[in-house]
């Protein structure tokens, strides 16, 4: 089955007492045993829940992985994934990952004896120089949040395999429709399914997809042991969102290409970060490893611009964190999504005050451009 068909049918079959076509929400904490030691496959919803299971199977199929796991949030998925490691282990991590990822690693996990090096992932030499005898994991985000940097997945896989490290990718920005890292050799895929997979800004949730049975068993052990799993209703919402993922991603990126061209030509704009632009430094790699360039972009206003007035100047774009929904969003990474990064760290990676991030929604592109035109007048 092709992607669009899988999105609708992979885990979902008419089911239950009434052959419901939409999979039911099994809103139950516990399941009756048929006899001592005998269940219908489910005993307690932290361990496994039927609605969650359908979602997990669907995401696994879409990513081409062995098994999927659904979590309460993207951060719950990441917290679970990083618990595959132990005190004394070291991680090489991208330097412009999501702000919450940086906070979890740099502020929380370091207190438990896990070490991190945050580096730009664009040079094999730089990555190899960061590897230590205790390096057990390499963690990348591509396209990255909020700078849309592109990491060469095959290069990362090659380095990871040669150095016996687990390779992990945050695939949130691309979604499995545009990028399938397991096919390129990545060990573990994590998602904030809050974003494109759900696609409607009405749930927070996360996922992990594994590439081997051994990793599946370890991730399931942690999901159950840590209690980081997704709720049945949230799982159902994500499952419903996934049915339209392919068609949404196509429209997101059609709109994004038009908006990026508009921004490039605008006199108030200094730089545009969108991997679909020919002069984006990661364009060729993105074209090779992605099926399209997605719906996220950021841009830098000229120095001395009135950033706050621009942010206030939108009517259609909502000033809000998050991304990947039907409605277009604008946000200021320095003060919002990436405020959990220290100021001097933000400056060194390029998250400056003039940087604005857009999540391009499913509206008509001309309306989005009119709204940008109006806001940029305030620059
Ligand atoms: C939002 C986001 C996360 C965190 O996910 P939550 O669902 O908000 O917990 C992780 N990585 C990326 C790239 C994100 O955009």
């Amino acid at each position: 089955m092709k992607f669009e068909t899988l999105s609708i049918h992979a885990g979902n079959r008419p089911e239950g007492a009434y052959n419901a076509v939409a999979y039911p929400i099994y809103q139950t904490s516990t399941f009756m045993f048929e006899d001592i030691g005998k269940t219908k496959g489910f005993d307690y919803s932290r361990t496994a829940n039927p609605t969650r299971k359908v979602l997990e199977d669907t995401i696994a199929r879409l990513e081409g992985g062995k098994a999927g796991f659904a979590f309460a949030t993207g951060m719950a998925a990441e917290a679970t994934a990083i618990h595959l490691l132990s005190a004394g282990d070291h991680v090489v991590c991208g330097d412009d990952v999501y702000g919450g990822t940086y906070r979890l690693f740099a502020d929380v996990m370091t207190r438990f004896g896990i070490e991190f090096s945050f580096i730009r992932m664009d040079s094999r030499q730089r990555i190899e120089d960061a590897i230590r005898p205790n390096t057990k994991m390499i963690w990348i985000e591509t396209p990255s949040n909020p700078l849309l940097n592109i990491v060469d997945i095959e290069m990362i896989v090659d380095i990871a395999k040669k150095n016996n490290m687990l390779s992990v990718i945050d695939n949130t920005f691309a979604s499995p429709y545009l990028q399938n890292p397991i096919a390129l050799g990545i060990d573990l895929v994590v998602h904030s399914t809050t974003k494109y997979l759900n696609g409607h800004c009405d749930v927070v949730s996360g996922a992990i997809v594994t590439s081997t049975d051994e990793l599946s068993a370890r991730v399931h052990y942690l999901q159950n042991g840590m209690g980081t799993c997704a709720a049945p209703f949230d799982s159902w919402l994500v499952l419903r969102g996934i049915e339209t993922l392919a068609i949404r991603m196509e429209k997101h990126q059609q709109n994004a290409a038009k908006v990026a061209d508009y921004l490039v030509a605008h006199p108030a704009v200094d730089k545009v970060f969108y991997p679909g632009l020919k002069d984006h430094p990661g364009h060729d790699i993105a074209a090779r490893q992605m099926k399209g360039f997605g719906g996220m972009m950021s841009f830098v206003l000229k120095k001395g611009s009135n950033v706050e007035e621009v942010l206030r100047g939108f009517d259609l774009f909502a000033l809000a964190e998050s991304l990947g929904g039907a409605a277009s969003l604008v946000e200021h990474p320095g003060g919002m999504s990436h405020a959990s990064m220290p100021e001097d760290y933000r400056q060194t990676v390029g998250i400056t005050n003039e940087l604005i991030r857009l999540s391009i929604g499913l509206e008509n592109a001309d309306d989005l451009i009119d709204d940008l035109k109006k806001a940029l007048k305030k620059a």
Side-chain angles (χ1 to χ4, degrees), residues 54-262:
V54 172
L55 169 65
E56 293 176 330
D57 291 348
T58 303
I59 296 181
R61 290 287 293 281
L62 295 182
E63 282 289 5
K66 279 278 183 196
F69 300 91
F71 295 88
T73 65
M75 290 317 302
E78 296 194 4
T80 305
I82 204 71
H83 276 75
L84 289 165
L85 302 181
S86 302
D89 291 347
H90 172 248
V91 182
V92 176
C93 183
D95 68 351
D96 69 332
V97 291
Y98 173 67
T101 305
Y102 178 82
R103 174 174 52 198
L104 171 70
F105 291 175
D107 294 351
V108 182
M109 297 314 297
T110 49
R111 291 196 283 110
F112 297 87
I114 298 180
E115 299 159 15
F116 296 87
S117 299
F118 297 96
I119 60 165
R120 188 58 44 111
M121 292 284 187
D122 58 357
S123 134
R124 175 183 280 269
Q125 192 57 50
R126 188 177 308 119
I127 299 168
E128 286 175 344
D129 288 348
I131 295 171
R132 306 176 190 166
N134 60 337
T135 306
K136 294 286 169 61
M137 182 183 277
I138 184 161
W139 184 293
I140 59 167
E141 198 177 296
T142 181
S144 71
N145 182 1
L147 293 168
L148 284 297
N149 282 314
I150 300 294
V151 181
D152 183 338
I153 298 173
E154 283 176 309
M155 175 184 74
I156 297 297
V157 165
D158 188 54
I159 296 171
K161 290 207 188 317
K162 287 194 172 120
N163 292 277
N164 227 349
M165 312 184 292
L166 267 181
S167 53
V168 185
I169 185 171
D170 184 336
N171 204 27
T172 299
F173 266 37
S175 90
Y177 180 67
L178 296 181
Q179 184 166 272
N180 298 128
I182 288 175
L184 301 175
I186 285 278
D187 294 315
L188 215 62
V189 175
V190 302
H191 277 286
S192 169
T193 54
T194 308
K195 315 294 168 53
Y196 286 111
L197 281 158
N198 176 63
H200 295 78
C201 292
D202 51 15
V203 74
V204 284
S205 53
I208 295 179
V209 180
T210 55
S211 58
T212 65
D213 290 334
E214 190 251 346
L215 277 170
S216 307
R218 288 171 66 199
V219 171
H220 184 245
Y221 177 82
L222 289 171
Q223 183 194 41
N224 184 43
M226 294 170 69
T228 43
C229 59
F233 181 58
D234 293 355
S235 299
W236 182 83
L237 280 171
V238 179
L239 197 55
R240 186 172 72 155
I242 285 175
E243 293 190 344
T244 54
L245 178 65
I247 198 166
R248 284 188 285 110
M249 291 312 293
E250 288 293 345
K251 176 73 174 168
H252 281 301
Q253 59 188 10
Q254 271 171 25
N255 279 354
K258 290 183 188 165
V259 170
D261 286 342
Y262 173 76

